[in-house]
Amino acid sequence: MTMESAKQILAQLPGVDCGGFGGCGYPTCEACAQAIAEGAPITLCPAAKTEAVAEIAKIMGVEPVAVEAKIAFIKCAGCSAGKDRFKAEACESCDAARKAGFAKDECQYGCIGLGTCIERCKFDAMKLEDGEIVIDKEKCSGCEACLSGCIQEIIEMVPADATNFIPCSSKADEKETLAVCGYGCIGCADCALACPKDAIEMVQGDKVDGRFARIDYDKCEGCVTCAVKCRKKIIVDTLHDLTKAKETVALVRCSGGSIGHQKLEAAGYDSCKAIVDAKLDLDGMDVCEYGCLGFGDCTKVCRYDAIKNEYGIAKVDPEKCVGCGDCFRACPKNKIQMVPYIGVKQAACESEADPERRMEVCFMGCIGCGDCADNCPNGAIEMVDGHPEIDHDKCLNCGVCKYVCSRDLIAEREVPEYNYLQREALEIDN
């Protein structure tokens, strides 16, 4: 009877032998079927779906058990684990690459990108594309064979219908994570603190100072909260458009003009950081010492194509910006500020020079007249060192400041109606 049952059970299994690497622990589906026939759990094969398990239950004469379909997910965005160097050095496996060691600017916790895990997958669900492991959700059976093939231990099984993912396993501290990977979790815990279902926990390594976020899918309901609250905007949300559901966007505190940029370019400079490091006498070069330098250090780190260098000034597209703050951190002159997306007002100039000097070095800057502050009905604007600062907690978005500004420097946006409606539906304060 046991042998006959094993044959019937085998017919319900995938029939693709995992070589002993799958979740059942047996080298073949035949051996797995035999084990079930001899009394092992009817859910022994993790690749068997609910329907198959129900048939196995009939064969064994036991109650059926509902199983949750799961697929493999790689907890890494795949951008900075040293894969280019490992490939150049002809490392044959991820294990060999890790033994070779990581350089200072390489994430030691991420995907190495040589595809050792792919060899374990018998369902053709994993591919290596440009040094990044890509999983085909439709082909992944959930057999778990790839887990043991990952020397970095960054593959986990997640519910097949999951919608939120955190693609990072870095245990480094915030400073190191920011230095090696623009996509890494910095361990701020904003997502965990904001989650209404306590579905996110912060995991800390035994021998490291850093920590990273992990989702408890038994609690996660797929809301937008963690994606919106994530400072780095690395949480993958397949249900909501992150460019619409957001709290802050970047704003360049400079109105621009390419005059200063052209002079610096003619002097042989090609980056904002190089100019700051050189400690140039910008005023002596007739360049505004308070403005954007215009070489686009910020544009190089933007993952959303939301900031561009136009005529010697960085310009942010608020519709594309998700508020991750990468440009804010990349600007060596601190000319980028994170401001509320809804109804933001901000003066795009921080010059502290005398009004006459401002006019000499920039024909678009604030002249410090104070009309905006004098006419604000709610006292939301204060003149600081000759330029206006707006208190967004007091701003009523009335538009008076923009109306009275003779230089047209007050930044204002018309926020699409869908943003208000979506945020209201998601219970996010407008």
Side-chain angles (χ1 to χ4, degrees), residues 255-262 294 308-315 364:
S255 56
S258 61
I259 297 175
H261 170 76
Q262 289 173 345
K308 295 185 181 298
N309 192 30
E310 299 179 359
Y311 306 109
I313 180 70
K315 295 285 188 181
M364 299 176 68

Side-chain angles (χ1 to χ4, degrees), residues 15-341:
V16 178
D17 298 335
C18 295
F21 300 114
C24 70
Y26 289 90
T28 65
C29 287
E30 184 177 356
C32 178
Q34 185 65 37
I36 296 175
E38 293 175 355
I42 59 175
T43 57
L44 182 60
C45 173
K49 303 300 185 276
T50 296
E51 297 79 6
V53 173
E55 290 299 320
I56 294 174
K58 288 181 183 179
I59 296 169
M60 295 301 297
V62 298
E63 289 294 319
V65 178
V67 295
E68 183 179 34
K70 292 190 175 184
I71 58 174
F73 174 71
I74 299 177
K75 298 180 292 181
C76 177
C79 71
S80 185
K83 57 180 179 289
D84 293 333
R85 180 173 62 86
F86 293 139
K87 184 177 180 181
E89 295 178 357
C91 293
E92 296 181 354
S93 67
C94 296
D95 187 29
R98 193 166 78 167
K99 288 178 180 178
F102 297 95
K104 184 178 180 180
D105 60 347
E106 296 169 351
C107 176
Q108 60 181 301
Y109 305 102
C111 177
I112 293 174
L114 294 178
T116 302
C117 54
I118 296 177
E119 301 170 4
R120 299 285 175 88
C121 181
K122 305 302 181 182
F123 292 88
D124 192 32
M126 307 180 79
K127 292 185 178 180
L128 184 62
E129 297 181 359
D130 297 324
E132 182 177 354
I133 306 298
V134 178
I135 296 177
D136 187 329
K137 296 180 180 180
E138 298 302 319
K139 291 184 178 180
C140 181
S141 68
C143 70
E144 302 180 6
C146 59
L147 271 63
S148 61
C150 179
I151 191 69
Q152 294 289 79
E153 298 182 350
I154 59 171
I155 302 179
E156 71 172 339
M157 304 308 297
V158 302
D161 59 355
T163 59
N164 287 9
F165 309 93
I166 301 177
C168 183
S169 299
S170 177
K171 302 179 184 67
D173 59 24
E174 178 178 350
K175 183 178 180 180
E176 181 182 346
T177 299
L178 289 172
V180 302
C181 180
Y183 295 77
C185 173
I186 58 176
C188 65
D190 284 358
C191 56
L193 294 172
C195 180
K197 300 298 180 181
D198 293 326
I200 300 180
E201 61 177 341
M202 302 306 296
V203 182
Q204 188 159 348
D206 296 332
K207 299 180 180 180
V208 293
D209 296 327
R211 55 183 182 164
F212 62 97
R214 184 168 64 189
I215 296 175
D216 181 345
Y217 288 101
D218 290 333
K219 298 178 180 179
C220 179
E221 294 187 350
C223 74
V224 73
T225 305
C226 62
V228 170
K229 291 295 184 180
C230 176
R231 296 185 193 180
K232 290 288 291 172
K233 296 298 181 289
I234 64 165
I235 297 180
V236 178
D237 185 336
T238 59
L239 285 182
H240 307 99
D241 184 349
L242 201 55
T243 64
K244 297 177 182 177
K246 56 194 172 189
E247 293 183 312
T248 62
V249 292
L251 177 77
V252 180
R253 293 294 303 274
C254 178
S255 56
S258 61
I259 297 175
H261 170 76
Q262 289 173 345
K263 292 180 179 179
L264 293 168
E265 192 173 38
Y269 291 95
D270 60 3
S271 78
C272 303
K273 186 176 185 303
I275 294 168
V276 173
D277 290 345
K279 298 180 180 180
L280 298 180
D281 178 11
L282 296 176
D283 189 61
M285 298 174 65
D286 288 333
V287 175
C288 177
E289 57 185 312
Y290 302 97
C292 173
L293 297 173
F295 285 95
D297 290 22
C298 52
T299 66
K300 297 172 184 176
V301 300
C302 181
R303 294 171 271 141
Y304 299 90
D305 191 35
I307 184 167
K308 295 185 181 298
N309 192 30
E310 299 179 359
Y311 306 109
I313 180 70
K315 295 285 188 181
V316 176
D317 183 341
E319 292 305 300
K320 291 183 178 180
C321 179
V322 299
C324 69
D326 282 350
C327 60
F328 161 78
R329 286 179 282 271
C331 179
K333 287 203 70 183
N334 299 318
K335 290 295 103 181
I336 299 179
Q337 179 180 357
M338 304 309 297
V339 297
Y341 177 55

